[in-house]
Amino acid sequence: MILLPAPIVLPFVFIILALLVKSSKAKSILSIAFSILNLAIAGIILFQVNEVDMIKSQMGSWPAPFGITLIADRFSAFMLFMSALVFIAVTIYSVQSIDKERIKNNYFLFTFGILMGVNGSFLAGDIFNLYVWFEVMLMGSFILISFGGERIQLEGAIKYLILNLISSFFFVAGIGILYGKMGSLNMADLAQKFAFTGSFPSLFEPAMVLFVVGFAIKGALFPFFFWLPASYHTPPPAVSALFAGLLTKVGIYSLIRIYTLFLFHFDYFWNPIILWLGILSMVIGVITATSQFDFRKVLSFHIISQVGYVVIGLAFYTISGLAAAIFFLGHNMISKTNAFMVAGWVHRERKTLNMKVLGEMFNKNTLWGVLFFISAFSLAGLPPLSGFAGKYLIIKAGIESDHIFVALIALFVGLFTLFSMTKIWIEVFWKNNPTENAAENNTKALPHGLMLTGSIILALSIIAMGIWAAPIVEFCEKAAADLLNTQKYINFVLK
Amino acid sequence: MRNIILEKIVSLFLKVMLIFAIYLLLRGHNNPGGGFIAAIIASTGFVFYAIIYGTKKVEKMLHLSTHQWMGIGLLLVLISTLLPLFFSKEIQTGLWIPSDFPVLGLLSLGTPLLFDTGVFVTVSGVILTIILSIMEVLEWN
């Protein structure tokens, strides 16, 4: 299939143009054009995959277990499409939100670097190739998080960089061990060999433990989440919106991928671990969020809690559980990014995100207030927004697979999320401005047309995903059925 | 302070390094060598030149900015990657020009060489960007 490498080649073409073109205006226009193109390609791939189940492409015409495989099944096509949606919104938002100096110094080059890494990770059918795309993505994010070199930014960047390097180290060490034992790196080939030798778990545990720890650090799961709230509130708001939407989700995507290909052979060992990782991230993320008084820090802690939902969906390991996890992942990407975008607007108006000194933002601009309402209450899980469908599916899947206790916890965590979101709503948008600085309230609003456009795109997607949940859930169920049918994946790649 | 002996040696050194880099570039793929190592050696020559003559002179010598050189290198990589598409093959498939030249003998010209040249230009661009900007900040010479 000729179009399959396009999501990787397209950002690469943009990077070349960004290096050759000098004017910042041309760079901004090109970045929007390329992100639209990326969405179109992701849409075509999604459409094609829905017709034929899976498509693959062999790099350099080398056959499957030897060459690098790019493969898109329904799950990866869905993730590609959602990340393209997030990316287009963030790009339009950034054109106005990011300062001139950063755009002139090739800000967009690095966001497209992240896009290239993210798209590559979703398409990779080779575990070392997956690692390489992780590195591409991390390289872009390392630069973006420290880009501009403000003092607070560098403090966050060091924590982010060290923890992520450690996780990459675990991941690549696991790959080394696995390659030494199996002599192959192609995921389908490995899965097939596991199916034959799966009765000797001690042979593979070291590599699998390293993988799970590496992905848990990347995805900010319970014992390894400390880097995320320590760093996500430091860079410019558009950058944290992009990170919140894309980066942790790639870690979770990889966890789901290796669980459905390898780990399920040893599920008597892994299933309780994954389940408890999910429950603890969910509960601890939401409880720590309530004690925060920084807008972006509250949202950062909520990322951890939301990732927990996806992981418990994976741990149920039924079609409905996995479908719920996939749906929730997509919902969370758009809702979280939009919440961060609203935080970016507040920061632009008031130059601070400390909730104690903010207030009356609803009077300043009603539309932004509504946009925050949509994303926040989608995260909390109110109908008719996408979060309601996501949480409903997770809880339903939990009850169906006899995890009633877990389903109850998920329900209570939803209540706590609602509490946090209401707190932000009251503190930032509703209460009287505590600084009582009349001059500040009367200053003319800064231009925010493009920022608004980016945010509205996501808000409409949230509503659409909530209203037309039924066909999306149907798609996710097919994706989940494909994920559970490992033999189909193996046969398709190795043929 | 100008030092004529150093200046002469450095200009000669740059030429030697560039020729050696091209030798390594062409030798690559089947033998030790290749784009990356060639780029490091070529940029060493430029760095020595910059230490003696100053960064301005190197920038003038390169004609384009180092960013643009990076872009050109990546463009060569892109071309070598996408070229097989026009022969209805998967991307990154190696294509070779069948060649048996009268004097040079058997040469293997193909997309891997183009790819390596792209790597050569990109890596030289990256190294020179890093080192020249550090030298400018520190106001070396």
Side-chain angles (χ1 to χ4, degrees), chain B residues 24-61:
Chain B
L24 279 180
L25 172 65
L26 294 175
R27 192 168 181 268
H29 201 66
N30 287 340
N31 293 310
F36 192 88
I37 189 82
I40 288 171
I41 285 166
S43 40
T44 317
F46 280 112
V47 170
F48 274 107
Y49 200 81
I51 290 172
I52 303 301
Y53 283 93
T55 52
K56 290 275 171 309
K57 189 130 190 207
V58 175
E59 274 160 18
K60 219 166 143 189
M61 228 160 113

Side-chain angles (χ1 to χ4, degrees), chain A residues 289-294 298 355 372 377 417-429:
Chain A
T290 52
S291 67
Q292 298 299 319
F293 267 95
D294 182 293
V298 176
M355 295 206 286
F372 178 73
F377 289 91
T417 316
L418 188 61
F419 167 74
S420 281
M421 292 301 153
T422 322
K423 177 177 153 190
I424 297 180
W425 175 255
I426 291 173
E427 295 280 328
V428 178
F429 290 90

Side-chain angles (χ1 to χ4, degrees), chain A residues 34-55:
Chain A
F34 270 76
S35 50
I36 292 173
L37 211 55
N38 178 48
L39 184 71
I41 288 172
I44 296 171
I45 289 179
L46 186 69
F47 187 73
Q48 289 252 351
V49 166
N50 197 22
E51 304 249 300
V52 296
D53 287 359
M54 290 179 193
I55 45 182

Side-chain angles (χ1 to χ4, degrees), chain A residues 1-17:
Chain A
M1 160 90 183
I2 198 165
L3 207 62
L4 198 57
I8 298 168
V9 175
L10 197 75
F12 191 68
V13 176
F14 176 84
I15 288 171
I16 294 171
L17 289 175

